[in-house]
Amino acid sequence: LARISLDLATARNQGSAAAQDAVAAATRFGLGRGSTLYFDMESYSMSDTGFSAATVAFIQSWTTGLGSAGYRSGVYGGVGSMMRDLARAAQQGAGGIPDAIWLAHWNDVQTTRDTYSPQYVPDSLWTGSNRIRQYGGDRSESWGGATINIDPNWVDTPLPGNPVQTDYGTAATGPG
C-alpha cells in the first residue's frame, strides 16, 4: 500500500504513474483497450478536506491517464469517503471523473444503487451500466464445487473476456 501525497501536484503525478502501471499490467494480462480498469481506494478520513482534495486529484489523473491509453477508468471505494467525494466532484462538473464506479456498502441488498445513503451517490450519476456494488462481505460461498471466502457484488457494467452462461440455481435472487 502507498500513501497519496496531500500536495495536489504530487497526488496528480502519483495518479498518472498509477495509470501507467495499470496499463502495463492490463497489457501483460491481455486486457485490451476499451476495458475498464479499477483503482481500489479504501476508506480514508473525512475529517480533513485535504484528504478529499488529494484523493480526487489522484483519481482525476488516474482517469485521464487511462483514457489517453484507450482504457476506461473505474474506482472502487466506500460510500462514506471515495464515492461521496467523487459524486461531489461530478456534480460540480469537474473533469477526470471515472467512467464507472464500484461502490462498497454492505447491507446485503442486491442492487447497484446506494440504497442506504443515496445522498452520497445519487442514482443520476454513473448511469447506463456503469456501476458495481459490493453488497456484502467476508462470507464463504461454494461455486463450481469449491468453497471460497468472498465479498459478493452486484454488477451492471461490461466486463472483459468472453461471457459464459451460468446457472445460479433456484436460490439466486435479483432485480425483478
Side-chain angles (χ1 to χ4, degrees):
L1 296 176
R3 291 185 183 258
I4 295 172
S5 173
L6 292 179
D7 176 76
L8 295 183
T10 303
R12 286 185 191 97
N13 289 337
Q14 290 173 316
S16 293
Q20 290 172 1
D21 183 54
V23 168
T27 301
R28 191 170 57 252
F29 289 112
L31 295 173
R33 295 171 61 112
S35 297
T36 305
L37 306 182
Y38 288 87
F39 191 89
D40 180 350
M41 179 58 66
E42 294 296 329
S43 295
Y44 52 89
S45 174
M46 295 296 289
S47 64
D48 182 340
T49 57
F51 292 139
S52 294
T55 303
V56 170
F58 175 95
I59 293 299
Q60 288 171 314
S61 288
W62 154 266
T63 296
T64 301
L66 290 182
S68 295
Y71 287 85
R72 288 174 30 95
S73 168
V75 175
Y76 166 88
V79 296
S81 54
M82 180 78 271
M83 294 304 146
R84 182 190 305 191
D85 284 341
L86 284 179
R88 282 184 189 153
Q91 289 169 323
Q92 293 169 358
I97 300 302
D99 301 299
I101 58 170
W102 185 344
L103 56 110
H105 186 176
W106 295 0
N107 66 356
D108 285 324
V109 177
Q110 295 174 333
T111 179
T112 59
R113 297 181 64 230
D114 181 15
T115 56
Y116 183 73
S117 48
Q119 71 274 18
Y120 296 155
V121 188
D123 290 341
S124 61
L125 300 175
W126 293 284
T127 60
S129 298
N130 288 305
R131 288 184 178 213
I132 300 173
R133 181 161 161 268
Q134 187 178 84
Y135 63 85
D138 295 329
R139 63 179 68 173
S140 293
E141 293 186 7
S142 295
W143 294 89
T147 300
I148 56 175
N149 185 271
I150 66 166
D151 297 338
N153 297 275
W154 203 254
V155 179
D156 182 20
T157 190
L159 299 173
N162 298 315
V164 175
Q165 182 66 36
T166 303
D167 180 6
Y168 294 105
T170 58
T173 60

